[in-house]
Structures are given as C-alpha cells and as structure tokens.
Amino acid sequence: MPALASLMTGLSPHVSAVHDTNSYVSSEAVTLNEVAVAQNYKTFMITSNPLVIRKSNLHQGVLNFEDSLTITDTQLHRSFAETAGGFKSWLEDELGAHSFFATLYFSDLNY
C-alpha cells in the first residue's frame, strides 16, 4: 500500500506516513483523483485487493470507487478478469464522451 499511496499523492512514505497496510492516506493529502475531478474528469478506481478499501483513504477524489469484494477461503482477492471487467463495464456504461482518470489496482499479478 505505501507504493500505491505514493503514486496517488506524490508523497514518499516518510512524508505520507503510509508505511504498511494498517496505515492510511491523510485526508489533507491531495490525490491525483482530486486533481482530475477539479479539471472536470470522471474518476474511477477498482481494486482486486481487499486491503485497498475506503478506510485507506485512497478513494479521495474518486467519483466511482468499486471496492466491494467477496472474499472466501479459496479466493482472497478479485481476479484480474473480474477487475478488468469491472472497469470495462464502467467505461461502457458510465463514461460517454467525458474525459476520465482511472486507477485499476491488480494484486493477483504476483500469484
């Protein structure tokens, strides 16, 4: 999560204080999504990782944050296909002709 927080805020883990999965982004930090919304972009974020949820504050500025995950004993994250499919559905159903900024976070690339 520290790397994602750094990408979204431009702050190093030392400055953001996001050092592990128990840390969260300060509501005072400005995210790329907030900058995009200020420029009239639609914003979207979908994650396959159950740790990247609203309490992490990574959703700041995200107009559509898809973090609903069904975790089971055999599936600990959303699959690549489900994550990409969620983005594709949003893109087809919601976007229209608007400019957008989307974040797709895939945790299963390591597995």
Side-chain angles (χ1 to χ4, degrees):
M1 182 122 66
L4 182 58
S6 291
L7 286 170
M8 298 306 289
T9 64
L11 302 173
S12 70
H14 176 75
V15 174
S16 71
V18 179
H19 300 287
D20 55 35
T21 57
N22 294 318
S23 305
Y24 60 91
V25 174
S26 167
S27 59
E28 295 178 11
V30 177
T31 66
L32 286 173
N33 287 297
E34 290 172 306
V35 172
V37 167
Q39 297 296 316
N40 296 317
Y41 282 67
K42 286 193 167 194
T43 55
F44 176 83
M45 182 175 187
I46 188 167
T47 178
S48 63
N49 185 337
L51 299 175
V52 181
I53 55 176
R54 291 181 196 279
K55 74 176 184 176
S56 69
N57 267 356
L58 288 170
H59 71 290
Q60 289 177 195
V62 179
L63 300 177
N64 188 327
F65 184 40
E66 177 51 61
D67 65 340
S68 60
L69 296 166
T70 302
I71 304 302
T72 67
D73 291 339
T74 58
Q75 184 173 351
L76 301 177
H77 57 351
R78 186 180 305 174
S79 71
F80 179 91
E82 291 170 318
T83 304
F87 170 65
K88 184 180 176 194
S89 292
W90 174 79
L91 195 59
E92 292 170 348
D93 297 341
E94 301 290 331
L95 186 59
H98 292 88
S99 298
F100 70 92
F101 179 82
T103 306
L104 287 70
Y105 186 75
F106 300 100
S107 64
D108 63 337
L109 297 178
N110 298 319
Y111 302 102

